[in-house]
Amino acid sequence: MHIDIQYLPSLEYCALIFAEPQIEFEVFENFPKQTYRNRSYILGANGVELLSIPIIQGASGKQLTKDVQIDYSQDWIRKHKGAIQASYGKAPFFEHVEPFIDQIFAKKSKFLVDLNIQFLNTIARFLQKKPQFSFTESFNEAPENSFWNVIDSKKEYSSRNIYVPVAYRQCFGTEFVANLSVLDLIMNYGIESREILQKSLNK
């Protein structure tokens, strides 16, 4: 499957890619702003919260995804870690997951793609399901089995017919909030998250 690479991705995205044996990430695209590539949504005491990674803008205004560098002049790591702690500190699997998050943030990866693939590998570890990940070597506009640019943060998941919400216990609120970051599910269900993801994919 051909797809863009996203940050702490949504349940919709993870249900899709972890059902496939091979994933090819498109990294020769022109990096688009305000997408899941550098943003994610978690659930806190005050509702849904956006986690956004600041990036260093290219000199020409455009740059390839593979070249996008993270801006560490902004104190975003502390904010993301604090938000994750506040949201999931009492979740059943927080103590198992949090050390891996700390390790990834501590590396301070230069490139966004490197950070995102580290999180995907960690997610795969907790799901105990690992597709073969690879990256494009040039821009591939119309490959077979492509979901590139399909999972768009500006459109509701219901418009795509990929993800079917399966309610599970969350840390906050009385009504289930669908399609958050997969982190929300893993913090609450650990390895059982795999079965919920499988049921969430509209086959």
Side-chain angles (χ1 to χ4, degrees), residues 42 49 76-88:
I42 61 174
E49 184 171 354
W76 67 271
I77 288 182
R78 183 185 61 81
K79 292 177 181 177
H80 285 212
K81 287 175 64 175
I84 291 169
Q85 166 77 46
S87 294
Y88 303 113

Side-chain angles (χ1 to χ4, degrees), residues 171-195:
C171 292
F172 295 102
T174 56
E175 293 187 9
F176 176 70
V177 181
N179 206 33
L180 295 168
S181 166
V182 69
L183 194 62
D184 184 80
L185 176 60
I186 290 175
M187 286 289 193
N188 285 293
Y189 280 79
I191 182 59
E192 292 180 52
S193 301
R194 183 170 66 181
E195 183 178 349

Side-chain angles (χ1 to χ4, degrees), residues 84-119:
I84 291 169
Q85 166 77 46
S87 294
Y88 303 113
K90 295 183 179 179
F93 290 89
F94 177 80
E95 291 184 357
H96 300 279
V97 181
E98 192 261 349
F100 292 93
I101 294 173
D102 271 357
Q103 288 172 17
I104 292 170
F105 281 144
K107 290 179 182 179
K108 289 194 171 183
S109 297
K110 181 177 180 180
F111 294 100
L112 179 64
V113 164
D114 292 338
L115 179 75
N116 287 351
I117 197 69
Q118 288 175 61
F119 274 116

